[in-house]
Amino acid sequence: MSLFWRIFLINAAVLTAATVLVLLGPVTVSTPFVLTEALILSAGLVVMLVANALLLRVGLAPLQRLTRAMTTIDLLRPGPRPAVTGHAGIAALISTFNAMLDRLEADRAASNARALSAQENERRRIAQELHDEIGQTLTAVLLQISRVADQAPPDLRPELHQAQETTRDSLDEIRRIARRLRPGVLEELGLVAALRSLFAEISHHSGLQIRRDFAPDLPALTEEVELVLYRVAQEGLTNVARHASASRVDITLIPHRDGVRLRIRDDGRGIDNQPEGAGIRGMRERALLVSAHLTIGPGPNGGTEVTLDVPDPAGRA
């Protein structure tokens, strides 16, 4: 039965009941009416309105729940679907809405996968060009400055040595950028070695004290999962170094419910209900690629805690 006919029948039932009561009841209306008759009719009207409101509230309650779900839904934070309740048209509407969410999440996941794959390929290309082109050019410049400095007059050698050091620093910075764009250690030595290298680099440049706790019995992880864990850790530590005003970060990587859990805790100023930026949304998009659950909130002792729970790949299949 459609929603129109349900509302019509509810109102018809109330009006029919009122008509029957008027026909069979002892109440009559005089001309002009007296106060008692007016009170009785007013009381009957109130009863009809209350009964109609209650019946409509019960009948439309599933629509109210659907409206709340529509206002709070976030494709980056998949949650339970609205329960399919109600009759006919309402149940069909909720089922259609749930099916639409499934399609949107699937389309978004596929779109994110393509976008992030293209992003990783572009990072790899840029890192390769930095290493092969700019890196080699700076190396050649460094060697040339070194030869010129050996043959230059003594009064010019300090300036040439300074240019040599500046070039060497630039070369080191180029290599550091290339490593962050394309974590070659991740491909060659695995996730744990790549994370250790990342922590050492960020700690050196930011002064953060990073304490790590990696479980020795981590389950086997796919390349996709390792890349997601690495990028989330990279973005999380970058946010701490740039925005948290923290001095210490604790990072754990442990088995969790047949999968793994990455947790990053800092002692900074916290997020203070600030709107999520592009970095955090990028972390959420990466988490969706491997059906992981990302939570970001205050830590137990202040600061911010980022937790990424990645399920077992077999369970996702």
Side-chain angles (χ1 to χ4, degrees):
M1 185 182 299
S2 67
L3 181 61
F4 167 79
W5 285 110
R6 285 184 55 80
I7 295 177
F8 173 79
L9 291 178
I10 288 174
N11 290 326
V14 173
L15 293 176
T16 301
T19 302
V20 171
L21 289 176
V22 171
L23 291 175
L24 300 181
V27 179
T28 59
V29 179
S30 304
T31 305
F33 62 87
V34 296
L35 180 60
T36 303
E37 295 172 344
L39 292 176
I40 292 176
L41 290 176
S42 298
L45 177 61
V46 170
V47 170
M48 285 192 299
L49 292 176
V50 171
N52 193 38
L54 290 176
L55 291 173
L56 286 176
R57 178 174 291 276
V58 172
L60 299 179
L63 282 181
Q64 294 178 342
R65 291 194 293 270
L66 179 61
T67 301
R68 288 194 296 269
M70 287 180 174
T71 57
T72 58
I73 201 72
D74 186 352
L75 295 180
L76 288 179
R77 304 179 186 182
R81 298 287 187 260
V84 180
T85 57
H87 298 276
I90 296 179
L93 177 62
I94 298 176
S95 296
T96 302
F97 177 73
N98 290 342
M100 180 191 69
L101 286 182
D102 293 337
R103 291 196 303 272
L104 288 176
E105 289 185 358
D107 291 344
R108 187 181 182 93
S111 176
N112 287 343
R114 290 192 297 269
L116 293 175
S117 176
Q119 183 185 82
E120 289 297 332
N121 291 334
E122 187 67 10
R123 285 173 180 242
R124 185 177 294 107
R125 183 188 67 80
I126 294 174
Q128 193 70 30
E129 290 185 0
L130 287 174
H131 182 272
D132 293 345
E133 301 294 335
I134 300 179
Q136 292 181 7
T137 300
L138 287 178
T139 301
V141 171
L142 187 63
L143 294 175
Q144 187 174 4
I145 293 176
S146 178
R147 288 195 299 269
V148 172
D150 293 339
Q151 301 172 5
D155 57 333
L156 292 179
R157 289 181 181 176
E159 295 183 10
L160 290 173
H161 286 309
Q162 180 62 39
Q164 188 177 9
E165 290 302 318
T166 301
T167 304
R168 183 177 288 108
D169 292 341
S170 299
L171 182 59
D172 291 340
E173 183 67 16
I174 289 295
R175 289 170 176 169
R176 185 181 69 84
I177 294 174
R179 285 195 302 270
R180 299 198 69 181
L181 287 172
R182 178 176 177 264
V185 179
L186 179 63
E187 300 175 357
E188 298 168 2
L189 301 179
L191 177 63
V192 173
L195 289 177
R196 287 174 177 167
S197 176
L198 174 67
F199 299 164
E201 179 181 335
I202 292 181
S203 179
H204 174 72
H205 286 87
S206 65
L208 280 173
Q209 178 186 358
I210 301 177
R211 299 190 302 187
R212 62 179 185 267
D213 180 15
F214 295 159
D217 55 344
L218 292 173
L221 302 173
T222 64
E223 293 182 0
E224 185 181 36
V225 169
E226 288 189 343
L227 182 59
V228 168
L229 288 167
Y230 180 86
R231 290 301 188 194
V232 169
Q234 184 182 44
E235 183 64 36
L237 286 174
T238 301
N239 288 339
V240 172
R242 290 179 179 175
H243 309 298
S245 300
S247 60
R248 190 186 74 250
V249 183
D250 296 327
I251 300 180
T252 59
L253 183 64
I254 57 175
H256 179 71
R257 296 180 181 176
D258 297 327
V260 293
R261 165 174 285 183
L262 173 69
R263 185 173 61 210
I264 305 172
R265 287 177 178 171
D266 66 68
D267 62 349
R269 61 186 180 185
I271 54 178
D272 297 329
N273 296 322
Q274 297 178 359
E276 294 185 353
I280 294 180
R281 295 188 69 82
M283 293 164 67
R284 294 194 183 281
E285 290 175 350
R286 289 187 180 277
L288 290 178
L289 291 180
V290 292
S291 302
H293 181 64
L294 179 74
T295 57
I296 301 175
N301 299 314
T304 304
E305 178 176 297
V306 178
T307 303
L308 179 69
D309 290 323
V310 183
D312 178 30
R316 295 198 307 271

